[in-house]
Every structure is written in structure tokens, then in C-alpha cells.
Amino acid sequence: MAHAFAVTDGTTTFNLSTTNALLVNYAMGTAMPGEETVVDTVDLLIYGTTASLMQAAYRSLTALLDGAKRRSEWGQGVKVYVTAQLDSDGSAWRSEIRTGRIELTEASLAVWANLEMECTLYIERVPFWEGIVTELTLTNRNGTDIDPSDAFITVNNCDDADQDNFADIGSAEVTGDLPAPLSLQLENNNGASRSWGDFWIASNAFNDPANFTGVIEAEARTSGGTVTASAGLSGGNYNTQTASGTITWYYDLPAAMMVDCAGYLFRVLCCFAATQPDGFMRCRVTVNNGATVLAQTEEVALSATLNQGVVDLGTLPLPPAGYATTFGVLEFQLVFRLATSQAVSVDWIQFLPAYACRVAYPHISAMVSGAILVVDDIEEQYFLRVSSVDYAGTLVRGQPVMVWPGRAHRLHFVVSRKTAGAVVPADTLGVKAWYRPRRTHI
Amino acid sequence: MGDFTVELFDRAYGRVGVPETMRVRPLRWGATARGGPDFAEIEITGERAVLWRCLQWLRYTLHIRNEFGDLVWWGYVHEAIVDAGGAALGLSLETMHNKVTVIYSHVDANGESTDAETAAAQNTTVQGEWGIKELRHSAGDTTPTAAEKLRDTLLNWQQSPTPIAEQGQNAEVATLRCRGWYETLAWRYYADATGRQTYETGGGEQLLGWVLSSTLIGFTANKRIHHQGRSLGALRVGDGMVVSGASDGTNNGTKTVREAPGMPEDDEPRTYTGTDIGFEPMDDIVSLERQLGFLQMDDMIEVSGTVDNNGWYWVDKTGARNIAVVDTFAYPIVTEGNGDSFTIKQSMNIRVDEALVNDTPGDSVVMTLHGQQIACKWTPASGAWPVDEILIQVCKRNGPTDNVKVELCADNAGAPGTVLADATVAGTALYEEMDWHTFTLSAPVTCTALTWYWIVISRTGTATSANYYAVGMDDDAGDAAAEVQLYTGSAWVAREPVSDLPYQVWGLRENTDQIEDIVTACGQFIAGTDVQTTSSIRTRYYRDGTTTGADEIDALLDQGTSTGGRLLAWVDAARWLHIAAEPTASSSSDLLIGRTGRLLRADGQAVARGLVPAGKWAAVQDLPPIGALAPLSPLFLERVEYDAEADSWGWEPRGAPSLDTMPTRIVNG
């Protein structure tokens, strides 16, 4: 079997090596670091049984290239791919075309009478090839080695001794030689509507994913606040304090956690156990004397009326010292500043790797039971699927959730609420994940 | 270029999506230590027909996030422009004004040029969409009717976002030019009608604390009071006084000056001593050297040094060579030739309304001028507000060393009542010329409109004609409410002529409290004010509405704190305005300036792309430990810009010279 190349938009396919074209040579370009596109040079002989059929074939190809250009410039319309299946491969790989052109050779008119058109096709495309869509096996305490064909794996909305707000991906799951984005489906599997706000989704590939929890229970403070038991909350407790002025709670950042974090940036989420107060808050990393601030986030406003139970405090380098694997314990502080005496009640603090952290926000008042939030960073599509109907309006920010070949991953999930109140640790998500392996060259 | 993303929120702050058919690229943005994020430029590519939708995003909230999802810039869309081919067309909020006032000057019915201002014309429907943006347009000389027409025309032209046109690049590209929320504080003018009550017309004066106590005071039946000295020179027509101590009761009691001394106050009553003086019966005094020309009709003079003619005389006829005296007092004169040294002392006199009887000096007479205290009543024009400062026009005469006291009193049946607060200014701090002086009350007193209060002025030392004070007056009495009352020593009486007291009453307010007030009034998009550091400086808070809220806040911030610190301000992504003292530099600065000039975190790692950390300190890496270089590290970053295309920062340190020729801005990358 020969290598097979084609240009396709999913509806119209122009085979570069069969039907109306003879592939003479396909020279693949290689992107230099930082380049967003690469150019392939394809020598072709387009032919037909009649001149008009030959010209029709030519026009078919140029129409596809025009569609690719339009998609690239306008961001509208269907994507156009060049696909390639080497005779050693069982399936085709694809690479999105950004633009392209056809140049006739000097001899093209000389052989015109033979109903052949010698030409060179230049394809400017993204600098990688994608394989077929592959569902990833996800694992956590709610299910192990879930068969891709099975139902969604359940992910809790907190991470304690009994619940996991993450799902693991084995190191052999992701193939290819480039990091690849995920397509995720997050289902409301609670059996009732949920007024969910922001969905934080992060991929841990470089911070000991199998062992990194990324959670500090608020009650695990070394000082500040009062620990109060509450069975429904993460860890069965929360930390609370009623005061005005500046309130500081102190926590240890264990050495093991710092070693795992290895100097990467982490997004810090403060998950409230009750309606948050009106005021401001930030977090800090300090040396163990509590006084020397190594890094801190900017203050963010708290609002008792607008809050969603989870406050995104921004990112912190953990620890703030570049990459290393032998860090010692540091101190972490939550600092609240309240103009009037108010209660602050926090359930837990979540640390998410910032290098692959996506935030999605479904623009609806509530997700009905069974509704699925689709966060598809492969096709760059984000929508809500209810009863097999896709509804637009989901907003995203941050980076695509990525997976890296040959590495184990842990996908973390935190869901806020759309209305005022506490985060709901008892909520669950059903999660499925797909990816397309990516390669520099096929 | 890093992966920067943009979030949009509509004019009601609801999240909206950027159409997937648009490719949005933040190009550059910046922030300053005062205000926070201040500008951003966003490029959008896509089909031109779709790009026109950008024009609907004016005043949308816009956030820029970096590759890690951190917010790096926030503000609103100020202009949107789409390349339409040969030209780029767009809409701008820069020249939008939906509340317009025209200020102008015109010649009034009396032929005098008068400054005036039209009432504001506004479109509340448009304001509901875009917010209120005010314009005070100066029209120069015009008529009231023309000014109102101009106002209406300006409103019609500018009430909605205005068109802009630029050279196009013939590309399918749109540009959003964004501004920080701090700038919107300049959209409105700030006025606070409370905190000030004034009447500033002056020109006259009233003596304060003047008492003449002397044995050299005489009286003549032609209603004149004489004094051998210069003290009477301070009096003016209309002054009232209480005379006491005269042996004849007719001369005691309240007197009113009808004629002031004929000589200038500074012209000392003269004394002449000479051997040319001689006396001729019955009433002549002769100076062979013609030295008596300084004497005036009705002067009371004292002759001394003679054998037979010593005593007090009343001049009846003047002349340089000889004068005649009235037939009273030491009359008649007897013959006494010249040759010996005789002395003639002139007295100063005033004429009063009341009848007097002849009486030579000798009794211990006291003249107590009305004005031992001076008072006028006032009431705030509106509202209830704390009074902190009272200003009056006052000057000193002859170097008094006591104090002038101003009391704010309650009204008691039309006269000054309970003292609510007071303040003093040392006489030594006053000028010889009339000028405004500020009396800061011991404690603020809240005064309410339509309730009368009194300003009472007195001196703290003993009243004397040797040194005293004068308080500014409006003798034309232009303000009926400010009618002056004078204290006689036992009662309050109206001043003659009826006069007004020029005064200024001011309220003070702590500067950061004032900023909160201004934000409340002008910060239509600001969620609230968070004062982390108070200025502890109290200044006047009355505002006449001719300055924008942003300029007013800047002026207050410029005053810093009572300890000499600087105040910074910034608006956060939740649109809260924060006020805090500039952080102090420390050895562990927030940032480092690397060897290439690039900004680094304090741990030496690269600052996340897109952050613009204005208002923070940055230590310069590897600076030699030479004392002279200390000002170079750490540096306070007054302004930081980020260029996403070049992945580079530009930053300006605080205090950099503003000379145009000096490179005060560093671009690195």
C-alpha cells in the first residue's frame, strides 16, 4: 500500500495520490521553535479524462485551499486538513491547513494536451499532525481502569479521605511526541439540576501526579480561626473566624509538597464553607518565621452577594525559587481584610498546576441532570449538551488542558456555584476525556 | 508572543463571549502607580463584516489574561475602530458628552461684564447606556441665549459615541483601545456645596479692643473731646464709645464720633518749644519765628514753662505768627515777653454728636470704644456640615502682643450665645495691613442651614489704645445676614453705619474621606473605595464643580500623608478603588531588574508574561555596593508597559527627570 495523502474539509476530499492526482513528491516542512506554521511542498500531476474534468479537479483543490484560508483569516467555516496515512500506519493523521497555493510548472502547458497538469502545491499548516480521537482511561477511587466505552467516571467536588476531585491517566495512555489538548465532557450526574458557575480543570503532568493532592484543608491551620466540624464538608471540618480588620490564617506547606511543586506556578483557589464576607483577600508564601514574604498574590475582592463559593486568588510560584526537588517546608497564609466584623469560613484551599489550567463557565442558570459541559480544546469548541442538543454560550479562559506523551497525569476539577453560598463538596461530575496524539512528523 | 486571552463583559458587567470567528490579540498594555491599569490595545482579525460588531463593545469591560490564566490587565473599551479599506472608521467615547454646560461672559443690563453659566442640558436615556460624561464648555463672550443654543448643539453632536476616522491599512483588522477604570473618574465634575459659607466684600475696618485711659483728656462745649496724644487719630466717623471718669457727668456716657481728627493718624500732635514765644492780653500767643502754624481751630493746647500763663487753652484763631484762644480755661492771658523757653503742646480732638461741657484734662477719663468684641451672625446656605475654619480680615496696630480670638457661638435671642468652639491667632502673626487670617477651631462644630450662628471676635489681652487691632468691614452692608454687632463692654449694639463682616467659614475633611466622597459622586463605574491608609490630613472639602473628580482626587493624593508619605491609588479588576501608602523599599524587593533590564521575580525567575507591576519596588541585580549608587536600587516602578508582540516590558522609575531630552524610559526584553 502506498502512502495516502488528501486535502479534506470533512465533506469534500481531494486525494493527492489517487483519482485525479498523481503524487510525485511530498516534502514535509519542519517548524523552527516558535513558528506557528510550517510549509509542505507537494509535487503533483493533476489529470482527467477530459480537460474540463482536469480543470474541475484543479478547482476542487483550490476551493478547499480557499476554505482553509477563509477559516484562518475569518475564524469562520469548517477546518480544512491535509491528511496522511503512511503505508506503515493503520490510520490517517491530519494537520490543519492555514492557507495554500498551487503553482503550475514550466512544463504544465506542454503536457496539457495529455490532459495532465504539472504543478506544485504549497500547504501552510499547523506544525503538527494529529492522530485519531482516542478516549483516555481515567481512574480514581470511584472507579479504576474505567473502560472507555463505559459510563462517565465520577469525580467529587472535594479531595479528602473519602472523595477524589481528580482522575488519573496512566503514563502509557498518551502517545505521540508532542503535548496534546483534551476534549472533556463533564456531566451533571447528581440526579438534579445544579447551578454551577466556573469549572476549574487542570492537568498535572510534572508534579508527581500520582501522589500530589494539591489540597490543604482549611482546618489544618497552624494558627488562626477556629476549627468547626461539619460532616458534609471536605475533611469533615472547616475553619472559621469572625472579626474585622486583617485576619491571617497560617498553614504549613510541607516539604514533600514543595518537592512535588518544584517551583512551578500554581493557581490557588479558596473554597468557602459559607457565604463569603464583603472585603478583600490574598494569599502568601512566607518563610517559616511568618514575617518574610517570598511571594504573594494581588488582593481580590470578596462579595457576599456575587460570590460563587470559590475565589480564584491567582497564581503563586511554589516554592518561589525556580526548579529544584529538595525544598523544605514553607508557610502559607490566607489574609483577609474586612472593614466590618464578619464571619470567614473556609473549607479547603486548592492548588492547581497553572501550566494547563482551563476555566469554563456555562452561560446558563442551571445545568439540568444529565446535561454535559463539553470543553473540547481539540476542536476549540465549548458548549452545553442537553438531551443531545448542543447549546452555545460556554465561555472559557486560561490554557487548554493538555496531556504529555509518556507521562502519567492527574486531572483536577473544582466547580463553583453560580449563586451566593458555600462551595458544595457533595456535588459530583461524570467525566470523560479524549485526545488526539500529536506528532511533529508522521 | 505568549498566549493572552481576552474576556468581555457587557455594560451591565455580565459575561459575554468573544465570537469564535474573531481572533483577538492583545498587543500592548500598561499600568501606573496612580490609577492602576491605564491603557491597552487589542487587535482583532476576522471577516470585516463581523469586525464591525466590535463597535458595539464600547464601554464593555475587558480583561486580559496571560498564559497561566492570571489577570494582567482590566479596564473598558474606550474606542473601537475597524479598517474599512482605505480608511479606518470607528467610534470613541473620548469626545462623547451627554451632559453639557456652557460657561460664558456677557454684558449685563448695567453695562458690566458678568461671568455666567447655563443650566446643564443632558440626555438621560443616552446616559443610561453609556454612563454620564460631562462637558463644561467655555464660550467666551456671548449672550445667554447664544450660550444655551451652543449648549444644545454640543449635546446633540456629542451625546453618543462619536465617529473617528484614521488612515486604513486595507486589512481585515479592528482595534480596540481600552482605558483603565480610574480614567472614568474624569468623566464627571465634582461639586460639594457644603463646607463653605463666605461674604468677602470689604474695604472698611472696625477697631477691636481700643480703650483710651488718660488724665490728658479734655472736653469743650463745642462737642469736642481732646486728648494730648495721638490715640484719637485711630477713630473714624460713626465710632461709638463710652466715656467715663469725667468729673462733669455730662461728659460721661455714650458718644458717637461725628468728626474725626483733622490730622492724619500718623501725624503726631506737635509740641513747640522756643524763646520766641510771647503772651499778650487778653488772648494772644505770639511766635516771632512764626512757628505756630501747626495749630488748628478748636485745638486744646497746654502751655508750660511760663511764669504766669501755664495751663490749658482752646484755640479760637489760628496763624503762624499769633493765635487767639477762647475765653475759658486758663483765660485770660497776661503779658509775658519772649526770651525764656516756653512750650506749647497740641492735643488731638474729635467731635461727637452729644453735648459736652468744658472741662480741662486732669480727671482720669476712660474712653471705651464700641468693638471690645465684634460679632456677626450667619447660617449655612444648605445642609449640615462641620465648621473647622473661620477666616476674617484683621490687622494689628502698634504691635500688640496678645491674641485675637474668634469664637463660634450659638444664637441667643438675636445675640451671641453659648461658645461652641474658639480659636486664636497671635497678634505677632498678623500684618500691619488688612489681610485674611485663618482661625482653626479647637474642634469642628456641625452647623445647620437655617440655624443662626455668630462669629465673635475679641482680643485676649487688655484693651488699650496703645496697641490694638482692626477688623475688616463692608461699610456698604451688602449682606443683610452678616450685620455687625459691637460689644460696648456691657451690651451689644449695631455698628454705625450698618456694616457687614467679611468672613469665610470652611469645613475640613480628612483627605481620604474626601476621596471616598468624590468616588461616590463621580465613580459611576467604581464599585467602592477601599482606604488602606488614611492621609490624616484634613483639608477644605467644598468644591465648586469646575474640576473633574479625577483631578480632585489627584490633588488630594498629591498631598500624601501627615507623615510625609505618598499615597497610591489603583482600581482592581472588581472596580474597587484602593488607596494606600506607597510601600517602603526594603532589601527584599518585589522584583529584580536583571542584567538585561528584564523584570524578574524576587527569586530570580522570570516575571509571568504580561504582568505590569507598577507601584512596586525592583532591586537592580548585581549593582556594586557603592554608596553613591544607592538611589539606583531599589527603584520604584512608576509606570510599566508590556508589549505582547515583542514580549518586552518598558518601565519608568519614580522621580525620573522629566526633561524631554533625557531617556527616562527603559525598554527591555
Side-chain angles (χ1 to χ4, degrees):
Chain A
M1 176 182 168
H3 305 322
F5 292 88
V7 175
T8 181
D9 62 6
T11 302
T12 302
T13 299
F14 186 93
N15 287 309
L16 299 176
S17 49
T18 62
T19 313
N20 289 102
L22 177 64
L23 179 63
V24 178
N25 185 49
Y26 195 112
M28 289 188 184
T30 301
M32 300 298 288
E35 288 184 337
E36 295 183 351
T37 59
V38 63
V39 176
D40 291 345
T41 304
V42 185
D43 295 327
L44 277 182
L45 191 65
I46 297 175
Y47 59 87
T49 53
T50 65
S52 61
L53 286 174
M54 178 179 68
Q55 289 172 310
Y58 172 85
R59 284 195 296 273
S60 172
L61 180 55
T62 56
L64 286 167
L65 296 177
D66 181 58
K69 180 172 180 287
R70 194 166 55 246
R71 165 77 193 191
S72 177
E73 291 180 351
W74 292 358
Q76 297 183 87
V78 67
K79 290 181 179 179
V80 179
Y81 296 91
V82 55
T83 63
Q85 183 172 354
L86 304 187
D87 57 9
S88 57
D89 278 339
S91 59
W93 294 71
R94 71 178 193 180
S95 185
E96 185 188 349
I97 299 173
R98 292 291 167 82
T99 187
R101 72 179 194 277
I102 301 172
E103 292 183 0
L104 300 183
T105 65
E106 292 180 357
S108 60
L109 292 182
V111 296
W112 190 267
N114 298 334
L115 304 178
E116 295 172 346
M117 187 188 305
E118 279 188 15
C119 59
T120 301
L121 167 63
Y122 296 95
I123 297 173
E124 184 177 348
R125 60 174 177 82
V126 297
F128 53 82
W129 294 87
E130 292 177 317
I132 60 172
V133 174
T134 304
E135 185 168 0
L136 293 164
T137 299
L138 304 176
T139 304
N140 65 15
R141 74 173 64 243
N142 299 316
T144 55
D145 197 21
I146 295 293
D147 188 296
S149 62
D150 287 348
F152 295 80
I153 188 173
T154 294
V155 171
N156 305 102
N157 199 26
C158 71
D159 181 11
D160 61 10
D162 303 314
Q163 301 168 99
D164 288 346
N165 66 356
F166 58 81
D168 290 329
I169 300 170
S171 60
E173 285 282 308
V174 182
T175 62
D177 59 18
L178 290 173
L182 293 183
S183 174
L184 290 162
Q185 292 189 2
L186 312 177
E187 181 193 42
N188 173 8
N189 63 359
N190 294 276
S193 290
R194 288 290 183 268
S195 293
W196 282 332
D198 284 321
F199 289 67
W200 282 266
I201 310 157
S203 174
N204 177 359
F206 305 105
N207 304 99
D208 192 13
N211 302 298
F212 181 73
T213 60
V215 166
I216 294 179
E217 293 290 351
E219 60 269 26
R221 84 283 186 275
T222 54
S223 68
T226 302
V227 176
T228 304
S230 180
L233 298 186
S234 178
N237 296 284
Y238 64 99
N239 199 43
T240 187
Q241 186 172 355
T242 299
S244 62
T246 300
I247 299 171
T248 306
W249 294 352
Y250 300 85
Y251 299 86
D252 276 339
L253 291 172
M257 181 181 177
M258 292 298 91
V259 169
D260 284 347
C261 290
Y264 283 87
L265 277 180
F266 280 79
R267 179 160 299 284
V268 185
L269 306 180
C270 182
C271 301
F272 280 81
T275 298
Q276 64 189 239
D278 288 312
F280 304 92
M281 76 172 295
R282 66 172 11 137
C283 61
R284 294 174 175 152
V285 175
T286 68
V287 295
N288 243 1
N289 63 14
T292 305
V293 177
L294 299 178
Q296 65 182 354
T297 62
E298 297 297 324
E299 276 194 328
V300 297
L302 302 175
S303 168
T305 53
L306 301 178
N307 86 92
Q308 300 176 343
V310 178
V311 171
D312 188 336
L313 296 174
T315 58
L316 278 177
L318 292 178
Y323 178 80
T325 56
T326 55
F327 289 118
V329 65
L330 287 174
E331 186 172 89
F332 178 80
Q333 298 177 4
L334 285 181
V335 184
F336 304 89
R337 197 162 52 81
L338 310 175
T340 59
S341 182
Q342 296 170 81
V344 180
S345 300
V346 177
D347 194 354
W348 82 92
I349 305 145
Q350 182 81 45
F351 297 85
L352 301 175
Y355 47 79
C357 184
R358 175 64 92 191
V359 185
Y361 177 81
H363 220 319
I364 46 118
S365 58
M367 278 178 64
V368 298
S369 178
I372 297 170
L373 177 66
V374 176
V375 180
D376 185 352
D377 280 318
I378 301 174
E379 302 298 338
E380 297 173 300
Q381 292 180 321
Y382 314 94
F383 53 85
L384 194 68
R385 179 171 292 160
V386 181
S387 301
S388 300
V389 178
D390 295 342
Y391 296 94
T394 294
L395 308 178
V396 294
R397 64 176 189 263
Q399 294 297 295
V401 182
M402 305 290 285
V403 287
W404 280 259
R407 301 194 71 93
H409 294 80
R410 174 164 287 182
L411 303 181
H412 297 267
F413 302 86
V414 176
V415 186
S416 73
R417 53 190 298 156
K418 210 170 229 100
T419 54
V423 68
V424 183
D427 281 350
T428 58
L429 293 170
V431 177
K432 278 178 173 287
W434 293 263
Y435 86 117
R436 284 179 180 266
R438 283 187 175 180
R439 295 178 180 175
T440 309
H441 302 288
I442 57 171
Chain B
M1 178 159 47
D3 294 328
F4 296 99
T5 55
V6 162
E7 296 173 287
L8 276 178
F9 302 82
D10 63 22
R11 287 184 280 277
Y13 311 114
R15 294 196 212 196
V16 294
V18 177
E20 293 177 6
T21 54
M22 292 182 178
R23 297 178 187 275
V24 182
R25 286 201 317 156
L27 298 179
R28 57 192 67 85
W29 53 90
T32 64
R34 176 173 296 179
D38 65 343
F39 88 97
E41 188 173 326
I42 314 292
E43 180 188 87
I44 304 174
T45 54
E47 187 187 7
R48 184 169 288 132
V50 176
L51 292 178
W52 290 111
R53 290 180 58 186
C54 298
L55 303 190
Q56 299 172 340
W57 296 351
L58 284 180
R59 232 264 286 145
Y60 272 31
T61 298
L62 187 143
H63 292 174
I64 302 173
R65 290 183 184 270
N66 68 7
E67 58 198 319
F68 299 115
D70 282 333
L71 271 174
V72 295
W73 194 90
W74 48 90
Y76 71 97
V77 179
H78 190 72
E79 285 181 353
I81 190 162
V82 177
D83 194 324
L89 301 174
L91 292 172
S92 174
L93 298 176
E94 183 69 27
T95 50
M96 179 191 79
H97 300 104
N98 46 42
K99 184 177 181 183
V100 179
T101 303
V102 170
I103 53 177
Y104 62 100
S105 59
H106 70 109
V107 177
D108 65 16
N110 297 320
E112 296 179 352
S113 181
T114 304
D115 293 333
E117 179 174 336
T118 67
Q122 56 187 323
N123 184 329
T124 54
T125 303
V126 171
Q127 289 172 355
E129 181 72 20
W130 306 104
I132 301 171
K133 196 156 185 277
E134 300 178 27
L135 172 68
R136 285 173 54 84
H137 180 80
S138 179
D141 292 332
T142 187
T143 65
T145 302
E148 289 178 354
K149 294 297 182 189
L150 175 60
R151 174 200 64 190
D152 296 342
T153 300
L154 289 171
L155 180 66
N156 283 336
W157 284 353
Q158 301 183 1
Q159 61 187 331
S160 296
T162 50
I164 51 175
E166 297 175 0
Q167 183 69 41
Q169 300 174 4
N170 203 20
E172 291 188 307
V173 62
T175 303
L176 302 180
R177 293 167 188 150
C178 306
R179 301 282 175 83
W181 289 112
Y182 190 79
E183 180 172 306
T184 63
L185 291 166
W187 281 26
R188 302 195 67 181
Y189 290 86
Y190 179 67
D192 187 341
T194 65
R196 175 181 181 264
Q197 185 73 33
T198 66
Y199 179 75
E200 299 183 54
T201 302
E205 66 177 45
Q206 168 65 45
L207 300 190
L208 172 68
W210 189 97
V211 170
L212 174 58
S213 180
S214 174
T215 58
L216 299 175
I217 296 172
F219 304 87
T220 53
N222 63 346
K223 299 184 178 180
R224 291 187 181 272
I225 302 175
H226 306 261
H227 174 244
Q228 191 181 84
R230 53 177 295 187
S231 296
L232 297 182
L235 303 182
R236 52 148 209 116
V237 173
D239 276 345
M241 69 184 73
V242 177
V243 177
S244 61
S247 55
D248 190 316
T250 304
N251 293 335
N252 289 330
T254 299
K255 315 296 180 190
T256 304
V257 177
R258 191 49 52 203
E259 186 179 307
M263 63 186 69
E265 181 188 353
D266 291 337
D267 192 358
E268 193 81 29
R270 293 177 60 182
T271 297
Y272 176 65
T273 301
T275 57
D276 64 319
I277 299 172
F279 300 87
E280 299 174 357
M282 302 279 290
D283 57 3
D284 288 337
I285 302 174
V286 178
S287 167
L288 297 179
E289 299 293 336
R290 305 178 69 84
Q291 294 294 319
L292 302 181
F294 66 92
L295 296 173
Q296 300 177 29
M297 280 292 292
D298 294 323
D299 274 354
M300 181 177 280
I301 60 174
E302 182 185 18
V303 174
S304 61
T306 69
V307 174
D308 299 314
N309 291 297
N310 287 350
W312 294 91
Y313 297 89
W314 175 5
V315 176
D316 186 37
K317 178 182 170 188
T318 59
R321 188 178 184 281
N322 66 309
I323 64 170
V325 299
V326 177
D327 57 349
T328 186
F329 300 151
Y331 182 89
I333 284 173
V334 298
T335 301
E336 189 167 1
N338 65 309
D340 292 331
S341 179
F342 304 147
T343 296
I344 298 174
K345 282 188 175 180
Q346 184 187 24
S347 293
M348 189 175 276
N349 68 76
I350 57 173
R351 187 167 68 85
V352 299
D353 286 341
E354 294 77 13
L356 299 173
V357 298
N358 292 333
D359 191 9
T360 57
D363 296 331
S364 182
V365 174
V366 178
M367 299 171 67
T368 302
L369 192 70
H370 292 179
Q372 298 308 296
Q373 297 179 63
I374 302 170
C376 89
K377 66 177 180 180
W378 70 283
T379 187
S382 63
W385 44 276
V387 171
D388 293 81
E389 289 181 343
I390 296 175
L391 278 70
I392 58 169
Q393 293 179 334
V394 61
C395 66
K396 64 183 178 185
R397 298 280 160 76
N398 306 327
T401 56
D402 61 340
N403 301 328
V404 174
K405 177 190 280 187
V406 168
E407 295 169 320
L408 178 62
C409 299
D411 180 70
N412 180 17
T418 305
V419 177
L420 303 173
D422 61 28
T424 58
V425 168
T428 53
L430 303 181
Y431 309 127
E432 296 285 350
E433 296 77 31
M434 189 67 72
D435 203 356
W436 289 101
H437 287 272
T438 301
F439 293 76
T440 303
L441 298 180
S442 49
V445 176
T446 297
C447 295
T448 305
L450 303 180
T451 299
W452 291 108
Y453 302 90
W454 288 86
I455 297 168
V456 179
I457 308 162
S458 62
R459 65 184 297 180
T460 59
T462 302
T464 173
S465 63
N467 55 72
Y468 51 93
Y469 302 94
V471 174
M473 290 283 134
D474 173 25
D475 292 337
D476 294 331
D479 181 8
E483 186 176 306
V484 167
Q485 297 281 304
L486 302 178
Y487 194 64
T488 65
S490 59
W492 289 100
V493 297
R495 186 176 188 261
E496 182 188 337
V498 174
S499 304
D500 295 333
L501 177 75
Y503 70 90
Q504 300 176 40
V505 176
W506 294 90
L508 305 182
R509 193 156 159 75
E510 199 274 333
N511 280 0
T512 42
D513 287 342
Q514 288 189 53
I515 292 174
E516 288 195 71
D517 294 342
I518 296 169
V519 171
T520 300
C522 299
Q524 55 193 318
F525 310 122
I526 303 297
T529 306
D530 168 44
V531 178
Q532 298 176 26
T533 307
T534 57
S535 73
S536 297
I537 296 174
R538 302 177 78 244
T539 59
R540 297 172 182 175
Y541 64 91
Y542 166 83
R543 297 293 187 277
D544 63 5
T546 61
T547 306
T548 66
D551 286 344
E552 295 285 9
I553 291 173
D554 283 345
L556 291 167
L557 292 173
D558 283 342
Q559 297 177 43
T561 67
S562 60
T563 56
R566 184 186 184 211
L567 285 175
L568 303 183
W570 68 97
V571 179
D572 69 16
R575 293 174 285 105
W576 275 80
L577 175 69
H578 300 268
I579 307 289
E582 178 183 297
T584 54
S586 67
S587 56
S588 57
S589 298
D590 303 309
L591 301 163
L592 294 173
I593 297 172
R595 296 176 187 87
T596 63
R598 192 180 181 92
L599 291 178
L600 306 173
R601 295 188 333 222
D603 61 10
Q605 305 300 305
V607 164
R609 279 197 284 264
L611 291 176
V612 279
K616 297 189 184 304
W617 290 90
V620 179
Q621 248 185 349
D622 299 336
L623 199 66
I626 300 172
L629 301 180
L632 291 178
S633 183
L635 295 171
F636 183 77
L637 299 179
E638 188 69 29
R639 173 175 184 75
V640 181
E641 294 179 11
Y642 180 74
D643 185 328
E645 287 187 298
D647 186 25
S648 68
W649 281 269
W651 45 266
E652 294 176 1
R654 184 190 59 189
S658 58
L659 301 175
D660 294 339
T661 54
M662 297 193 70
T664 60
R665 183 169 176 277
I666 306 297
V667 175
N668 61 76

